[in-house]
Amino acid sequence: MLTREFLLKADCKTSFGDIEETLLWSCEQRAASLAATLACRPDHSPVWIFGYGSLMWNPIFEADEIAAGWLEGWHRAFCLRLIAGRGTATHPGRMLALKQGGRTSGLAFRLPEARLHEELALLWKREMITGCYLPTWCELQLDDGRSVTALTFIMDPRHPLYESDSCPEAIAPLIAAASGPLGSNAQYLFSLEEELTRRGMEEENLSRLAHQVRSLQQSHCLKQA
């Protein structure tokens, strides 16, 4: 599992797998992206992060508050070709991102202002290795009735790793087979399904995808037996 200690020490060129040089972002590029994002900070209110994938069960950054909520206008989609971490360039998997349309439930994390830059720099190292996301300030509705502005990582459809076809039939075989230095692509999907279920946020499409991946893996095991 990805840990804070691992991420602090990680060399992005090698720690997540072999990433094509033209795709890999430099430290300077990540720093510039973070600075540009903070320059667009809507106001001086606390900075919240919206977690809709692995941030929900393994955020690794420090937060002063965690609250359930939802984002209107975006939905989960495994539309990012996964070539590192839990996949490789030769056997790519699929990673989660947000695409336009629908609604997404998740967790909002309020970051401590005193450690804001430190925590965000760590987050950028985790999410922006190839610059595949568009860090965007979005309005979140929290379950307790509050409305907050949160930083959300949305898929950049112009990125070379973007995949338009994210239907279960296309991506289930990829997720079932892919793995990398951080583990298997399937385990990521199963962990997400488990976390959503635990929090009463089940999504029918995601559960169906997880079922298909399990069936493919069981079929493969039977063939190997």
Side-chain angles (χ1 to χ4, degrees):
M1 178 181 288
L2 186 68
T3 65
R4 185 181 181 92
E5 182 181 12
F6 170 86
L7 195 55
L8 285 169
K9 297 179 179 179
D11 177 353
C12 291
K13 290 184 178 181
T14 59
S15 298
F16 300 95
D18 186 18
I19 303 175
E20 185 181 331
E21 194 72 26
T22 58
L23 294 174
L24 188 66
W25 267 27
S26 65
C27 296
E28 292 74 19
Q29 284 175 298
R30 293 198 305 273
S33 170
L34 173 53
T37 301
L38 284 176
C40 297
R41 185 176 175 180
D43 49 43
H44 296 291
S45 61
V47 171
W48 293 78
I49 304 296
F50 181 55
Y52 57 87
S54 62
L55 292 181
M56 293 182 67
W57 71 85
N58 186 32
I60 76 175
F61 51 67
E62 293 186 7
D64 283 344
E65 182 183 359
I66 303 174
W70 69 90
L71 174 65
E72 292 286 352
W74 301 89
H75 68 277
R76 289 182 179 88
F78 283 87
C79 58
L80 172 60
R81 188 162 77 254
L82 185 60
I83 60 169
R86 294 178 181 271
T88 64
T90 53
H91 292 92
R94 285 295 185 90
M95 182 47 63
L96 193 64
L98 291 180
K99 292 175 68 175
Q100 276 190 302
R103 166 173 153 164
T104 300
S105 58
L107 296 180
F109 301 85
R110 179 166 59 84
L111 300 188
E113 189 68 30
R115 297 175 55 84
L116 185 60
H117 284 269
E118 181 179 347
E119 299 305 321
L120 286 176
L122 197 63
L123 182 60
W124 249 250
K125 191 175 183 181
R126 172 178 178 161
E127 303 293 341
M128 298 292 283
I129 296 175
T130 64
C132 57
Y133 294 111
L134 298 172
T136 306
W137 297 98
C138 299
E139 183 175 338
L140 288 186
Q141 301 299 321
L142 302 186
D143 284 0
D144 61 13
R146 286 179 293 167
S147 177
V148 300
T149 301
L151 193 54
T152 306
F153 288 89
I154 292 167
M155 184 70 219
D156 183 353
R158 303 162 299 178
H159 196 276
L161 294 179
Y162 170 70
E163 297 284 358
S164 59
D165 187 357
S166 55
C167 70
E169 292 73 22
I171 66 176
L174 301 174
I175 294 175
S179 63
L182 296 183
S184 73
N185 198 179
Q187 188 53 56
Y188 175 95
L189 171 62
F190 300 154
S191 295
L192 176 59
E193 179 193 32
E194 181 181 347
E195 184 68 14
L196 292 178
T197 299
R198 188 174 73 85
R199 293 186 176 276
M201 299 177 179
E202 298 94 332
E203 290 187 4
E204 183 179 348
N205 289 340
L206 192 138
S207 296
R208 188 182 304 118
L209 174 61
H211 175 73
Q212 288 182 257
V213 170
R214 286 190 181 93
S215 295
L216 286 169
Q217 290 184 326
Q218 290 169 2
S219 176
H220 178 75
C221 288
L222 288 173
K223 289 179 181 178
Q224 296 295 314

